[in-house]
Structure formats: C-alpha cells, structure tokens
Amino acid sequence: MKLQELDGVTFTRMVLSGANHLKNNAKKIDALNVFPVPDGDTGTNMNLSMTSGAKEVKNVNSDHVSEVAQAFSKGLLMGARGNSGVILSQLFRGFAKGMEQKQTATAMDLANALDNGVKTAYKAVMKPVEGTILTVAKDAAKIAVNEAKQEKDILLLLEKVVSEAKTSLKRTPDLLPVLKEVGVVDSGGQGLVTIYEGFLAVLKGEELPEQDASEIDISEMVNAEHHKIAQDFMDTSEIEYGYCTEFMVKFEDEKIKEYPFHEEEFRNELSKHGDSLLVVSDDDVVKVHIHSEYPGSVLTLGQQYGSLINMKIENMREQHTAIVGGNENTKAEKKGKYAIVTVAMGNGLKNLFESLGASVVIEGGQTMNPSTQDIADAIKKANASNILILPNNKNIIMAAEQAAELAEENVQVVSTKTIPQGISAILAFHPEADLLTNKESMKEASKHVKSGQVTYAIRDTQVDGIAIEKGNFMGIAEGKIKVTHKDKTETVKLLLKEMITEDDEILTILQGDDVSDEDRKSLVEHIEDVYEEIEIEVHQGNQPIYSYIFSVE
C-alpha cells in the first residue's frame, strides 16, 4: 500500500528512530574525525543535538506534521553543539519552515522541505565547504525534488533519498582532499545518512537495533537524589555543586588493560568531585550520576576506562531559579553595562579567564562543546546589557552565533578559535568603548598570537603527509599537526622549534592536568637555555586532553 501522505504521528516516530539510530552509531561517527585527537567531536555533537530535538518532539501530542516539525526544529536549535550540530539544526529549521501550515505532507511537500532545509543551512554557514554534511544534504534534496515530480509514494521517495545520500557520502573524499588523505568519508555526512536511515526504517516497518548500554536504568535512583536538593525552601546560592551530570562509559579493552576498572575505587574518586553520587556497572558499561561543579573533570575520569555515551549535563541553579522564580528571595539583580562570556575546560583556565575579567566561563572545549542552550543560559547569567562571547574553539563559534541571534541582549561573538586567542582578546577589552569597537579590537588582538597544543593520537593515520602512530604525541600549531614523536618532551621541543622565531618576545605555557610540576620545570629550563631572549609565563591550566597549550607573541 502506497504512503501518499505523511502525518505528525508518523513523522514523530521517524524523528525518534533517527535519533536512536544516530545514538547507536555515534562512536563510529566519532572515529571518522580527520584529526586523531581524543576529542570525540562529530558523532557526540550530532547525537546530543538530535537527542535534544527528539526530546522536544516527545512533548508534542499532535498529528499535524507542521507542529511536530516545528518542535523538532526548536529542540535541535537549542541543543545544537559544534558545527555539525548547528548545521543539522539549520537543515531542519528550513525543513520546518517548508512544512508550515501543513497537517499532512505529500511526497512533493517532503522534497521541498528538504530542499528548503539545504538553502537555510547554506545561508547559515559563512564559507560553505563541499564534501561535508552540506553536500550530502544538498545531493539528497536535489534527487528528492526531481523524483517527487513523478513519484507520489513517500516510502519509495525516501528510499531514493537515502540511496543518494549514501552515494554522495562516498564521493566526499573526492571533494575534500584531507578526507582522501586520511582515508575516511565526512563524519557529518555519515551522521546525516544515519538519521535518514532511521527515518526510512519506520516507513518500512523495520526495527533498528537498540544500544545494549542503555539497558542500565538508574532514573528512579536519580529522581530520589534530586528530591534531596530541589526543595523550594532552598536558596539558589546554597547549591554547592551546580551541574547535574549523567553519563555512561562503554568499556574498551585497551583502556581497561591500562586502567583496570574497580567500581568502589571509581566511586571513591568521583566522590571528591561532588555529591548525590550514584555508580552502577556491569561487564560492559558503568553509568554515573553526580552533582558536580566541574563536569569536565568528572567526564575525564570516566574516559580513562572507555568511550563516553549518553551524556547529559543540566545547570541546577538555572532550574532552581526557574522553579522558585516567584519567591521573594530571588530578586533580579540590576543589569551591568558589559559582560564577557567565554568557554574553557579546566579549573586553572577558568580561574585565569575570571581573573582577566570574564563574567561567566562555560565549562567546555574539545571534549565537550557547549550547546546553543548552554551559551544562551550563560548570556542570561551574565546579566548585562552588552555581552561579548569568546568561543575559543572553531567548533563552538556557530553555536555561539546562534545563541547571540536568539538573545534579547546586545550580544557579539568574537570568533576566537583557541584559548591563547581568547586570552589575547580579553586583554584588549576596553570598558569605555562601545560594543562593536570592542569586538573589532578584540578580534584584531586575537590575530597577533600563535597557538600550539600537545596531545596524543588515538589511532594510526596520516595527515598533511605526516605518518602518525596511535599512542604517540602530536604537536599542533594553528590547527595543523606539525610534529609527532613517541616522547612527550621531545614533541614539545619539536613543536616550539616550529613556532618560535627570533622576532617573538613572549611564550605563555598553560600546563595540563597530566603534567607534573617536575616535567614543567624541566621544560622551562630547556626553553631558557635554547631561547634566551624570550620571556616565559607559566599558568596552571588543568586542561584535559592537551598536556600543554602554548601562546607565542
């Protein structure tokens, strides 16, 4: 029997299926990231974004396809994380506009909505790059529009859409040389194909496999813990640990060999980072619930045993304020003239930015890209008429710009791509200048600093002609892998040789949480011997993933 009209109930099932299928393949998509750094970008970001969209859809009880599409778009928009998540939200933002006022959708309606999504996404990206999720979406929409002129069966049309999306995905290495060099297809494109596969499975009546890890459910235990702190009589300022953090770790054999898992020891270590702690494990996974002030530190502890899945972080201070908003004890503070919101991972970096004048530091970065909602919440928390945002990561800029567009306040994004750029930018802020003047001067200041990082490789690969072995260290300068070596100290020396010239005057070292004071002192002595004229500043950054972050001016 042909399906000639798509209603809201069916589309709801399609969204939930797409979200579930993406969740079950997030790790596979993460593995397609070009850089072999342990940051788990695309699959994680798209999964969290899609989960937010699916959550919003679950709250809609309607058979109008337009209403379901609108809810899906809203959820994606606010949950969007990273560039891939923002582009995904824009694809379905345009899709929802294409479905406006429609109770049911025909094959042509569906095709036009997909096409409108592509147009919206391309407009949202300042410099669209072919060979990415945008290309896959565009090719799939084009075939949909062409086929819908004759094909009225929505099932058959979507089959052709999925087929073309897969074909387009295979072509991405031919369009983007770096993909061909590394030997992978585009990760964002793979994520979109995975979502479309979930859509199609519903129309075909197929069941896609569930993820075994989700079998562990401690929701009732979590609810019991929440009742202990979500009391109306508690003042928001009394909440010591502000982030409800839930995640699961899927054990990986290689990591378990290096760090054998013992539930009691893990629980004791986590207990140092918060309260309301619950830990449940079996042979394959461990699930954690904790109220922590620094969720990134907790996630890093879990990551040593395997891959992070099913992550959820909620700001309990914001939730509590919303619950008791009418209480006389929660009077609104007077708005300030200026505030700076920035993103950083690690207690030391947080303290450094605050000491330089940041009003709100969002916990995030390579290991955890904040969502549009996270940044919107930070804008509100900053409580100022004029706000400047420093993303400090190229994968956070689009979410920041999206949050700025939604804000009622005057918000500008200074598109800093690294922590050193963010530090240079905030030092250039002048409280007496107007918002746009500050934005331009801060942006200009960020251009005059060179950024470098040292981290480790999570797989064998070749990037920019450099053969990289799993477990070896990599030196990265201005976003490009410059050197690799099995020894961390030697990697640092090689990287600094690439970065420092005779014209440079200042080297700032941000020490990661895996670097001992002894190793840092030894490094400083080496730099003083080799680069006699350069002034050295050292800060305890406590950042995960990156042993060192360097700023050269």
Side-chain angles (χ1 to χ4, degrees):
M1 184 176 177
K2 290 185 176 181
L3 177 64
Q4 296 194 341
E5 289 191 332
L6 179 67
D7 61 22
V9 174
T10 304
F11 186 56
T12 294
R13 291 169 52 221
M14 290 167 63
V15 169
L16 299 182
S17 175
N20 183 63
H21 194 40
L22 181 66
K23 177 186 72 175
N24 291 336
N25 287 276
K27 184 180 176 183
K28 168 186 165 186
I29 296 166
D30 277 341
L32 294 174
N33 286 328
V34 171
F35 271 19
V37 296
D39 59 5
D41 267 340
T42 308
T44 301
N45 284 335
M46 293 186 77
N47 177 33
L48 291 170
S49 304
M50 192 70 182
T51 298
S52 178
K55 183 179 179 181
E56 197 70 28
V57 164
K58 285 181 181 178
N59 295 329
V60 176
N61 184 19
S62 175
D63 61 355
H64 284 237
V65 70
S66 62
E67 293 177 4
V68 176
Q70 187 60 42
F72 184 37
S73 170
K74 178 185 175 185
L76 276 173
L77 183 72
M78 299 313 296
R81 295 173 188 264
N83 292 345
S84 55
V86 172
I87 291 172
L88 185 67
S89 74
Q90 292 298 319
L91 285 170
F92 283 102
R93 187 181 189 182
F95 178 93
K97 286 187 178 294
M99 286 290 187
E100 279 183 349
Q101 308 300 319
K102 298 185 187 301
Q103 181 169 351
T104 60
T106 64
M108 182 55 79
D109 291 333
L110 179 63
N112 287 335
L114 289 170
D115 186 55
N116 195 57
V118 170
K119 291 173 181 174
T120 302
Y122 266 86
K123 287 178 184 176
V125 179
M126 190 170 294
K127 294 180 181 179
V129 177
E130 298 301 333
T132 65
I133 182 176
L134 289 169
T135 305
V136 175
K138 179 178 65 176
D139 291 346
K142 183 177 179 181
I143 204 77
V145 171
N146 289 337
E147 292 293 330
K149 294 172 183 176
Q150 291 84 32
E151 183 57 69
K152 307 303 179 188
D153 188 341
I154 293 174
L155 168 57
L156 295 179
L157 180 72
L158 198 54
E159 282 184 333
K160 292 174 181 177
V161 167
V162 172
S163 176
E164 179 58 27
K166 290 179 177 178
T167 302
S168 177
L169 179 65
K170 291 178 182 177
R171 292 194 294 261
T172 55
D174 297 325
L175 298 172
L176 207 53
V178 68
L179 296 177
K180 179 167 281 189
E181 182 183 17
V182 179
V184 296
V185 294
D186 178 66
S187 54
Q190 179 65 71
L192 186 63
V193 167
T194 304
I195 292 168
Y196 285 171
E197 286 175 336
F199 286 3
L200 180 60
V202 168
L203 300 187
K204 295 176 75 172
E206 296 177 351
E207 289 288 335
L208 294 171
E210 292 284 342
Q211 187 169 358
D212 293 340
S214 64
E215 294 295 323
I216 296 180
D217 184 8
I218 58 172
S219 58
E220 290 304 315
M221 299 165 70
V222 169
N223 288 337
E225 290 294 335
H226 276 215
H227 283 305
K228 293 180 181 179
I229 72 149
Q231 306 287 342
D232 282 352
F233 57 78
M234 175 183 280
D235 190 89
T236 304
S237 63
E238 294 175 18
I239 299 176
E240 183 178 359
Y241 299 105
Y243 296 90
C244 174
T245 306
E246 292 181 56
F247 63 96
M248 297 172 68
V249 180
K250 194 166 186 178
F251 297 138
E252 294 177 353
D253 291 341
E254 290 187 9
K255 288 187 175 182
I256 292 296
K257 284 179 184 177
E258 187 173 355
Y259 300 102
F261 178 78
H262 301 288
E263 183 176 310
E264 191 61 32
E265 291 179 11
F266 185 46
R267 183 181 289 107
N268 290 338
E269 186 63 30
L270 287 173
S271 67
K272 301 173 185 177
H273 295 267
D275 60 16
S276 299
L277 175 64
L278 295 166
V279 178
V280 179
S281 68
D282 63 11
D283 293 338
D284 301 313
V285 298
V286 58
K287 186 165 185 177
V288 175
H289 169 273
I290 186 173
H291 294 168
S292 175
E293 190 63 15
Y294 301 105
S297 302
V298 176
L299 295 176
T300 299
L301 285 174
Q303 205 169 13
Q304 66 185 327
Y305 301 111
S307 55
L308 299 173
I309 57 175
N310 296 3
M311 291 174 285
K312 185 176 75 171
I313 299 172
E314 294 180 336
N315 187 324
M316 294 189 297
R317 294 189 182 95
E318 291 290 331
Q319 290 178 335
H320 187 264
T321 300
I323 292 170
V324 299
N327 193 301
E328 61 183 6
N329 293 328
T330 57
K331 294 178 181 177
E333 295 179 13
K334 185 179 178 181
K335 275 192 174 185
K337 177 185 175 183
Y338 263 123
I340 296 175
V341 172
T342 189
V343 183
M345 181 71 83
N347 297 352
L349 291 182
K350 179 178 183 292
N351 294 336
L352 177 60
F353 273 111
E354 287 177 341
S355 71
L356 294 174
S359 307
V360 181
V361 181
I362 305 170
E363 183 94 6
Q366 284 300 96
T367 53
M368 186 174 65
N369 293 155
S371 68
T372 302
Q373 183 69 65
D374 292 333
I375 300 171
D377 289 343
I379 289 170
K380 289 181 181 178
K381 184 178 180 181
N383 197 33
S385 301
N386 302 283
I387 296 171
L388 290 151
I389 303 177
L390 306 175
N392 302 337
N393 186 301
K394 67 179 182 180
N395 209 31
I396 300 174
I397 293 172
M398 289 184 71
E401 290 173 341
Q402 197 157 257
E405 287 179 15
L406 296 170
E408 296 177 0
E409 298 81 0
N410 298 317
V411 182
Q412 291 291 328
V413 178
V414 183
S415 52
T416 51
K417 297 179 180 178
T418 66
I419 292 293
Q421 285 185 5
I423 293 171
S424 291
I426 200 169
L427 287 170
F429 171 74
H430 196 294
E432 299 305 318
D434 63 48
L435 186 64
L436 290 178
T437 300
N438 264 314
K439 176 184 176 179
E440 291 307 314
S441 60
M442 293 168 77
K443 183 178 179 181
E444 187 63 27
S446 72
K447 295 178 181 177
H448 299 297
V449 62
K450 292 182 282 187
S451 305
Q453 302 94 18
V454 171
T455 185
Y456 58 94
I458 58 170
R459 65 172 183 272
D460 293 341
T461 190
Q462 181 166 316
V463 178
D464 294 333
I466 299 175
I468 301 165
E469 294 183 20
K470 179 180 178 180
N472 282 3
F473 292 92
M474 300 176 294
I476 303 170
E478 302 306 311
K480 290 186 176 293
I481 298 174
K482 295 290 187 179
V483 298
T484 182
H485 199 279
K486 62 182 179 180
D487 181 72
K488 184 192 296 182
T489 302
E490 191 61 32
T491 304
V492 172
K493 292 177 182 178
L494 292 170
L495 176 62
L496 292 178
K497 192 175 181 181
E498 290 278 337
M499 293 183 67
I500 299 175
T501 68
E502 59 183 18
D503 296 327
D504 295 318
E505 299 175 351
I506 302 173
L507 168 67
T508 303
I509 303 172
L510 301 173
Q511 180 180 338
D513 63 2
D514 66 332
V515 176
S516 68
D517 289 339
E518 185 179 339
D519 286 343
R520 186 250 302 151
K521 287 177 183 177
S522 175
L523 173 62
V524 170
E525 288 174 1
H526 165 78
I527 296 170
E528 289 174 339
D529 288 341
V530 177
Y531 307 96
E532 295 179 0
E533 300 300 318
I534 204 158
E535 181 182 337
I536 304 170
E537 292 184 9
V538 181
H539 297 280
Q540 186 69 257
N542 303 115
Q543 71 272 5
I545 304 301
Y546 293 100
S547 301
Y548 294 100
I549 296 176
F550 297 110
S551 169
V552 180
E553 299 174 78

